[in-house]
PDB file of all heavy atoms in Angstrom:
ATOM      1  N   ILE A 114       0.584  -1.138  -4.618  1.00 93.00           N
ATOM      2  CA  ILE A 114      -0.648  -1.942  -4.608  1.00 93.00           C
ATOM      3  C   ILE A 114      -0.335  -3.404  -5.095  1.00 93.00           C
ATOM      4  O   ILE A 114      -0.930  -4.340  -4.542  1.00 93.00           O
ATOM      5  CB  ILE A 114      -1.734  -1.277  -5.491  1.00 93.00           C
ATOM      6  CG1 ILE A 114      -3.090  -1.876  -5.248  1.00 93.00           C
ATOM      7  CG2 ILE A 114      -1.372  -1.281  -6.964  1.00 93.00           C
ATOM      8  CD1 ILE A 114      -4.228  -1.028  -5.832  1.00 93.00           C
ATOM      9  N   GLY A 115       0.612  -3.533  -6.018  1.00 89.00           N
ATOM     10  CA  GLY A 115       0.983  -4.866  -6.513  1.00 89.00           C
ATOM     11  C   GLY A 115       1.721  -5.695  -5.488  1.00 89.00           C
ATOM     12  O   GLY A 115       1.781  -6.890  -5.539  1.00 89.00           O
ATOM     13  N   THR A 116       2.325  -4.997  -4.488  1.00 87.00           N
ATOM     14  CA  THR A 116       2.991  -5.693  -3.410  1.00 87.00           C
ATOM     15  C   THR A 116       2.008  -6.561  -2.635  1.00 87.00           C
ATOM     16  O   THR A 116       2.310  -7.654  -2.245  1.00 87.00           O
ATOM     17  CB  THR A 116       3.618  -4.656  -2.450  1.00 87.00           C
ATOM     18  OG1 THR A 116       4.411  -3.730  -3.172  1.00 87.00           O
ATOM     19  CG2 THR A 116       4.527  -5.370  -1.433  1.00 87.00           C
ATOM     20  N   PHE A 117       0.801  -5.999  -2.435  1.00 90.00           N
ATOM     21  CA  PHE A 117      -0.156  -6.696  -1.593  1.00 90.00           C
ATOM     22  C   PHE A 117      -1.151  -7.472  -2.354  1.00 90.00           C
ATOM     23  O   PHE A 117      -1.719  -8.449  -1.870  1.00 90.00           O
ATOM     24  CB  PHE A 117      -0.887  -5.642  -0.727  1.00 90.00           C
ATOM     25  CG  PHE A 117       0.024  -4.970   0.264  1.00 90.00           C
ATOM     26  CD1 PHE A 117       0.681  -3.811  -0.054  1.00 90.00           C
ATOM     27  CD2 PHE A 117       0.199  -5.515   1.546  1.00 90.00           C
ATOM     28  CE1 PHE A 117       1.497  -3.176   0.860  1.00 90.00           C
ATOM     29  CE2 PHE A 117       0.997  -4.912   2.438  1.00 90.00           C
ATOM     30  CZ  PHE A 117       1.669  -3.723   2.124  1.00 90.00           C
ATOM     31  N   PHE A 118      -1.482  -7.001  -3.583  1.00 89.00           N
ATOM     32  CA  PHE A 118      -2.507  -7.612  -4.350  1.00 89.00           C
ATOM     33  C   PHE A 118      -2.062  -7.941  -5.760  1.00 89.00           C
ATOM     34  O   PHE A 118      -2.442  -7.264  -6.736  1.00 89.00           O
ATOM     35  CB  PHE A 118      -3.721  -6.654  -4.428  1.00 89.00           C
ATOM     36  CG  PHE A 118      -4.205  -6.236  -3.054  1.00 89.00           C
ATOM     37  CD1 PHE A 118      -3.893  -4.991  -2.610  1.00 89.00           C
ATOM     38  CD2 PHE A 118      -4.944  -7.076  -2.263  1.00 89.00           C
ATOM     39  CE1 PHE A 118      -4.342  -4.544  -1.359  1.00 89.00           C
ATOM     40  CE2 PHE A 118      -5.367  -6.675  -1.015  1.00 89.00           C
ATOM     41  CZ  PHE A 118      -5.042  -5.424  -0.562  1.00 89.00           C
ATOM     42  N   PRO A 119      -1.151  -8.889  -5.950  1.00 81.00           N
ATOM     43  CA  PRO A 119      -0.594  -9.183  -7.292  1.00 81.00           C
ATOM     44  C   PRO A 119      -1.717  -9.602  -8.259  1.00 81.00           C
ATOM     45  O   PRO A 119      -2.599 -10.373  -7.903  1.00 81.00           O
ATOM     46  CB  PRO A 119       0.342 -10.318  -7.014  1.00 81.00           C
ATOM     47  CG  PRO A 119       0.011 -10.881  -5.696  1.00 81.00           C
ATOM     48  CD  PRO A 119      -0.606  -9.788  -4.916  1.00 81.00           C
ATOM     49  N   PRO A 120      -1.666  -9.060  -9.473  1.00 78.00           N
ATOM     50  CA  PRO A 120      -2.674  -9.377 -10.439  1.00 78.00           C
ATOM     51  C   PRO A 120      -2.638 -10.831 -10.877  1.00 78.00           C
ATOM     52  O   PRO A 120      -3.610 -11.336 -11.491  1.00 78.00           O
ATOM     53  CB  PRO A 120      -2.377  -8.423 -11.628  1.00 78.00           C
ATOM     54  CG  PRO A 120      -0.939  -8.045 -11.441  1.00 78.00           C
ATOM     55  CD  PRO A 120      -0.686  -8.053  -9.967  1.00 78.00           C
ATOM     56  N   SER A 121      -1.553 -11.511 -10.524  1.00 79.00           N
ATOM     57  CA  SER A 121      -1.487 -12.939 -10.837  1.00 79.00           C
ATOM     58  C   SER A 121      -2.387 -13.777  -9.951  1.00 79.00           C
ATOM     59  O   SER A 121      -2.646 -14.960 -10.195  1.00 79.00           O
ATOM     60  CB  SER A 121       0.008 -13.438 -10.674  1.00 79.00           C
ATOM     61  OG  SER A 121       0.476 -13.071  -9.406  1.00 79.00           O
ATOM     62  N   ASP A 122      -2.884 -13.138  -8.837  1.00 80.00           N
ATOM     63  CA  ASP A 122      -3.701 -13.872  -7.872  1.00 80.00           C
ATOM     64  C   ASP A 122      -5.149 -13.744  -8.302  1.00 80.00           C
ATOM     65  O   ASP A 122      -5.743 -12.648  -8.250  1.00 80.00           O
ATOM     66  CB  ASP A 122      -3.494 -13.335  -6.494  1.00 80.00           C
ATOM     67  CG  ASP A 122      -4.188 -14.143  -5.418  1.00 80.00           C
ATOM     68  OD1 ASP A 122      -5.127 -14.899  -5.756  1.00 80.00           O
ATOM     69  OD2 ASP A 122      -3.764 -14.072  -4.264  1.00 80.00           O
ATOM     70  N   PRO A 123      -5.836 -14.885  -8.698  1.00 81.00           N
ATOM     71  CA  PRO A 123      -7.223 -14.802  -9.175  1.00 81.00           C
ATOM     72  C   PRO A 123      -8.151 -14.346  -8.071  1.00 81.00           C
ATOM     73  O   PRO A 123      -9.301 -13.905  -8.392  1.00 81.00           O
ATOM     74  CB  PRO A 123      -7.530 -16.200  -9.597  1.00 81.00           C
ATOM     75  CG  PRO A 123      -6.513 -17.076  -8.915  1.00 81.00           C
ATOM     76  CD  PRO A 123      -5.273 -16.231  -8.729  1.00 81.00           C
ATOM     77  N   LYS A 124      -7.724 -14.344  -6.831  1.00 81.00           N
ATOM     78  CA  LYS A 124      -8.571 -13.897  -5.719  1.00 81.00           C
ATOM     79  C   LYS A 124      -9.043 -12.473  -5.882  1.00 81.00           C
ATOM     80  O   LYS A 124     -10.100 -12.070  -5.404  1.00 81.00           O
ATOM     81  CB  LYS A 124      -7.773 -14.058  -4.420  1.00 81.00           C
ATOM     82  CG  LYS A 124      -8.540 -13.717  -3.169  1.00 81.00           C
ATOM     83  CD  LYS A 124      -7.850 -14.229  -1.928  1.00 81.00           C
ATOM     84  CE  LYS A 124      -6.487 -13.641  -1.686  1.00 81.00           C
ATOM     85  NZ  LYS A 124      -5.908 -14.002  -0.427  1.00 81.00           N
ATOM     86  N   TRP A 125      -8.223 -11.642  -6.575  1.00 79.00           N
ATOM     87  CA  TRP A 125      -8.519 -10.235  -6.681  1.00 79.00           C
ATOM     88  C   TRP A 125      -9.246  -9.898  -7.961  1.00 79.00           C
ATOM     89  O   TRP A 125      -9.464  -8.710  -8.246  1.00 79.00           O
ATOM     90  CB  TRP A 125      -7.210  -9.401  -6.552  1.00 79.00           C
ATOM     91  CG  TRP A 125      -6.496  -9.769  -5.301  1.00 79.00           C
ATOM     92  CD1 TRP A 125      -5.248 -10.357  -5.218  1.00 79.00           C
ATOM     93  CD2 TRP A 125      -6.957  -9.623  -3.978  1.00 79.00           C
ATOM     94  NE1 TRP A 125      -4.931 -10.565  -3.934  1.00 79.00           N
ATOM     95  CE2 TRP A 125      -5.964 -10.178  -3.151  1.00 79.00           C
ATOM     96  CE3 TRP A 125      -8.132  -9.133  -3.369  1.00 79.00           C
ATOM     97  CZ2 TRP A 125      -6.082 -10.218  -1.733  1.00 79.00           C
ATOM     98  CZ3 TRP A 125      -8.249  -9.178  -2.020  1.00 79.00           C
ATOM     99  CH2 TRP A 125      -7.251  -9.712  -1.209  1.00 79.00           C
ATOM    100  N   LYS A 126      -9.631 -10.884  -8.719  1.00 79.00           N
ATOM    101  CA  LYS A 126     -10.386 -10.609  -9.986  1.00 79.00           C
ATOM    102  C   LYS A 126     -11.725  -9.941  -9.643  1.00 79.00           C
ATOM    103  O   LYS A 126     -12.526 -10.520  -8.864  1.00 79.00           O
ATOM    104  CB  LYS A 126     -10.558 -11.886 -10.792  1.00 79.00           C
ATOM    105  CG  LYS A 126     -11.245 -11.621 -12.134  1.00 79.00           C
ATOM    106  CD  LYS A 126     -11.084 -12.842 -13.059  1.00 79.00           C
ATOM    107  CE  LYS A 126     -11.792 -12.627 -14.393  1.00 79.00           C
ATOM    108  NZ  LYS A 126     -11.450 -11.377 -15.056  1.00 79.00           N
ATOM    109  N   GLY A 127     -11.957  -8.790 -10.205  1.00 77.00           N
ATOM    110  CA  GLY A 127     -13.244  -8.057  -9.974  1.00 77.00           C
ATOM    111  C   GLY A 127     -13.347  -7.494  -8.574  1.00 77.00           C
ATOM    112  O   GLY A 127     -14.438  -7.085  -8.156  1.00 77.00           O
TER     113      GLY A 127
END
Side-chain angles (χ1 to χ4, degrees):
I114 195 166
T116 310
F117 294 90
F118 307 102
S121 54
D122 189 339
K124 182 164 64 172
W125 307 116
K126 184 166 177 51

